[in-house]
Amino acid sequence: MSGTGRLTATLGARTQRLVYGEQDVPALVRELEETGTVDLAHLVMLVRQDLLPRKAAAGLLRHITRLRAEGFAPLHRLPAPRGAYLMYETHLIDTLGVESGGKLHTGRSRNDLKATTTAIRLRTTALDLLGELVRLQAVLLSRARASADQVMPVHTHFQAAMPTTYGHYLLGVACALDRDIAAVRHAADGLRRCPLGAGAVGGTDLPIDPVITAELLGFDAPVLHSIDAVASRDVALRLTAAAAGAALTLSRLGTDYQLWSSAEFGMLVFPDRLVGGSSAMPQKRNAFLLEHVRAKAGSAVGAWTAAAGMTKSTPFTNTIEVGTEAMSAVWPGLDATRDCVLLCQLLVSGARLVTGRAQDRAEEGFTLATTLANRLVRAGVPFRVAHHAVGDAVRAAVERGDTELRGIEEAVGASPGGVELGPAVRELTAGGGAGAFAPAFEATHRALAEHAAWRARWEGRIAAARHELDSAVREIIDDGGDR
């Protein structure tokens, strides 16, 4: 079928490439695989609603199933002047005849079909990303527990501030990532409803049953509103924003790791497999993977910015700007976040604190100064007086070139007593300090388990729907007349 009824010509070859892109077999197969899945559910629904004879449906289901098994090989090099879907539908009509192939599109439009395949792809991507985020959170918690007693300085404004532990730092990243995971989950919840049935924009007067297709495709329910179904890609934007948030968190981890692994800090080391050398400088050990982590966070942020910019001020209906162009920016952003997460799994599991150097840095940075001031406060000295006295002692030590703080008792009439790094860190129990490691660890570990269970429940629901769809398809094929 070369025409569309009203239209008798198509775009020229160059314009086709601009609009639809170059023929990319993997991308074509992915698109048709998603479309084919929706087709199977749609055809089952049409049969159950007596909108399609079982024999015609059986022929379509049989042929679509065969194409899927073959990776859509017969379609790889077919011309697609009006896009992949119409090329695919034309193939079905040419192969099975218009009385069979021409009935596939009954009760739907490319608009609700595309919204549905987009939702399915987003759902798959979101669940995959969640799985990797949960694995990273598990790695962070595992390494945090293993290094809960490894003392190091925590920095503010790039200056040593207070003593903490490497485990406490990693647990803090895991806590922040927990909120990122919750944000991804919240965004993904918008993918529970199936757009199929909304038609081009206003629904349909054919007696279809969107509940059937929604359930067979693993959705909870059909959408409530036809215009919203085809106009909206806000879930994709929220998911991209949530993913970008996770990448931002990891980019900050990457910056700390880069600093701490430098020769100037010397507090962190990576195994040889996670660093690179130099083509000219034989002494170099470049933690270059961290630069990829930080850059990929930029890609994720840029993806959201691009997609939001293309969505802004578009009409609230089906539009190419939103459904095609904006979505083309979303996928690379989600992929960049996933890559960022995978790299951080390797880096966190491989990184090791150089404990001696880290403790030296904590001592050299006078990180016990606040502890000393607080000891004086316990002895009845006003905090501001104690603060100034310890500050004077630090200045004098720096001028002498050592780390011994002298003259505090004489300045305020009270002694802070001897203070050591390890015990001082264990006393930091209020306000979520390193001395209160266990409660924060246990709470975050419980959240990790709940995230994993939430994802498993949804994947189980999708797997059950897939089994139900396969059974329904086999039943129609087996009972659909001669092969």
Side-chain angles (χ1 to χ4, degrees):
M1 297 179 66
S2 59
T4 66
R6 180 172 181 174
L7 305 180
T8 59
T10 60
L11 298 172
R14 184 175 67 177
T15 308
Q16 288 179 34
R17 287 193 296 272
L18 290 173
V19 173
Y20 300 117
E22 296 288 347
Q23 184 80 303
D24 180 340
V25 171
L28 175 68
V29 171
R30 184 191 62 233
E31 179 179 347
L32 294 179
E33 181 71 27
E34 294 160 355
T35 300
T37 299
V38 177
D39 286 348
L40 299 181
H42 183 65
L43 287 167
V44 169
M45 182 275 296
L46 291 178
V47 169
R48 291 181 181 177
Q49 294 301 106
D50 294 324
L51 289 169
L52 183 64
R54 293 181 75 87
K55 184 172 183 178
L60 277 164
L61 290 169
R62 189 179 301 118
H63 189 69
I64 293 169
T65 301
R66 186 180 302 122
L67 285 174
R68 285 158 62 88
E70 297 171 350
F72 296 91
L75 282 66
H76 288 182
R77 301 302 173 193
L78 292 181
R82 291 177 288 145
Y85 174 75
L86 288 176
M87 175 269 285
Y88 160 71
E89 186 186 70
T90 299
H91 165 79
L92 295 176
I93 292 171
D94 291 344
T95 304
L96 302 174
V98 71
E99 285 300 315
S100 183
K103 294 180 178 179
L104 170 63
H105 213 45
T106 301
R108 74 179 189 191
S109 162
R110 270 194 297 179
N111 296 352
D112 62 338
L113 171 60
K114 187 169 186 177
T116 303
T117 58
T118 298
I120 290 174
R121 184 178 174 187
L122 280 171
R123 183 178 68 186
T124 301
T125 301
L127 289 173
D128 177 63
L129 177 59
L130 278 168
E132 300 302 341
L133 285 167
V134 166
R135 289 185 186 92
L136 175 56
Q137 191 177 35
V139 171
L140 284 163
L141 290 176
S142 175
R143 294 300 307 141
R145 181 166 52 187
S147 53
D149 296 322
Q150 295 179 357
V151 175
M152 64 173 287
V154 63
H155 297 78
T156 61
H157 309 289
F158 293 97
Q159 304 297 319
M162 293 181 66
T164 189
T165 68
Y166 182 48
H168 186 236
Y169 172 84
L170 292 178
L171 178 56
V173 177
C175 289
L177 192 66
D178 188 66
R179 293 188 296 277
D180 295 324
I181 294 172
V184 172
R185 280 180 51 176
H186 180 73
D189 263 330
L191 300 169
R192 299 282 188 174
R193 289 185 175 273
C194 179
L196 200 65
V201 70
T204 179
D205 54 0
L206 290 171
I208 64 170
D209 188 346
V211 172
I212 294 174
T213 46
E215 291 178 349
L216 290 174
L217 292 172
F219 293 93
D220 291 353
V223 292
L224 294 173
H225 194 283
S226 63
I227 300 175
D228 179 39
V230 300
S232 300
R233 297 294 188 275
D234 56 292
V235 175
L237 285 174
R238 281 196 297 276
L239 185 59
T240 306
L248 285 176
T249 297
L250 299 181
S251 75
R252 302 178 73 184
L253 168 71
T255 294
D256 287 338
Y257 268 12
Q258 190 103 53
L259 287 170
W260 297 347
S261 62
S262 67
E264 288 73 18
F265 277 78
M267 296 198 314
L268 200 72
V269 65
F270 295 101
D272 286 354
R273 63 187 174 85
L274 296 182
V275 298
S278 165
S279 65
M281 296 166 284
Q283 84 282 10
K284 296 295 291 297
R285 296 184 86 256
N286 298 324
F288 72 101
L289 295 179
L290 296 167
E291 298 172 45
H292 286 287
V293 168
R294 299 201 304 271
K296 289 182 183 300
S299 294
V301 172
W304 182 87
T305 303
M310 285 183 265
T311 302
K312 176 191 172 294
S313 302
T314 56
F316 192 70
T317 183
N318 180 71
T319 68
I320 296 297
E321 298 103 308
V322 176
T324 299
E325 294 289 355
M327 288 306 304
S328 70
V330 162
W331 307 118
L334 295 174
D335 288 344
T337 297
R338 183 180 187 275
D339 291 347
C340 183
V341 172
L342 293 175
L343 287 173
C344 285
Q345 290 172 5
L346 291 172
L347 291 160
V348 173
S349 63
R352 292 294 182 271
L353 192 74
V354 182
T355 53
R357 178 58 176 158
Q359 184 155 327
D360 289 345
R361 291 289 296 173
E363 292 175 350
E364 294 163 2
F366 299 98
T367 60
L368 288 174
T370 301
T371 300
L372 288 171
N374 287 339
R375 291 285 179 87
L376 294 172
V377 169
R378 291 179 181 179
V381 178
F383 175 76
R384 191 53 59 200
V385 174
H387 182 279
H388 287 171
V390 174
D392 287 341
V394 169
R395 186 186 68 250
V398 170
E399 291 172 350
R400 290 193 311 269
D402 60 39
T403 59
E404 184 179 355
L405 301 184
R406 307 172 189 170
I408 297 176
E409 183 174 0
E410 293 83 348
V412 297
S415 172
V419 181
E420 295 181 2
L421 278 169
V425 170
R426 289 191 289 274
E427 290 178 7
L428 297 170
T429 56
F437 180 89
F441 180 89
E442 291 164 5
T444 309
H445 193 272
R446 286 194 299 271
L448 166 67
E450 203 282 321
H451 293 322
W454 183 91
R455 177 177 176 270
R457 287 193 298 271
W458 199 350
E459 288 198 324
R461 167 75 180 89
I462 294 169
R466 188 179 302 116
H467 177 74
E468 183 182 353
L469 177 59
D470 289 344
S471 297
V473 168
R474 284 196 302 272
E475 189 271 330
I476 293 174
I477 290 176
D478 290 344
D479 295 343
D482 296 334
R483 294 180 184 277

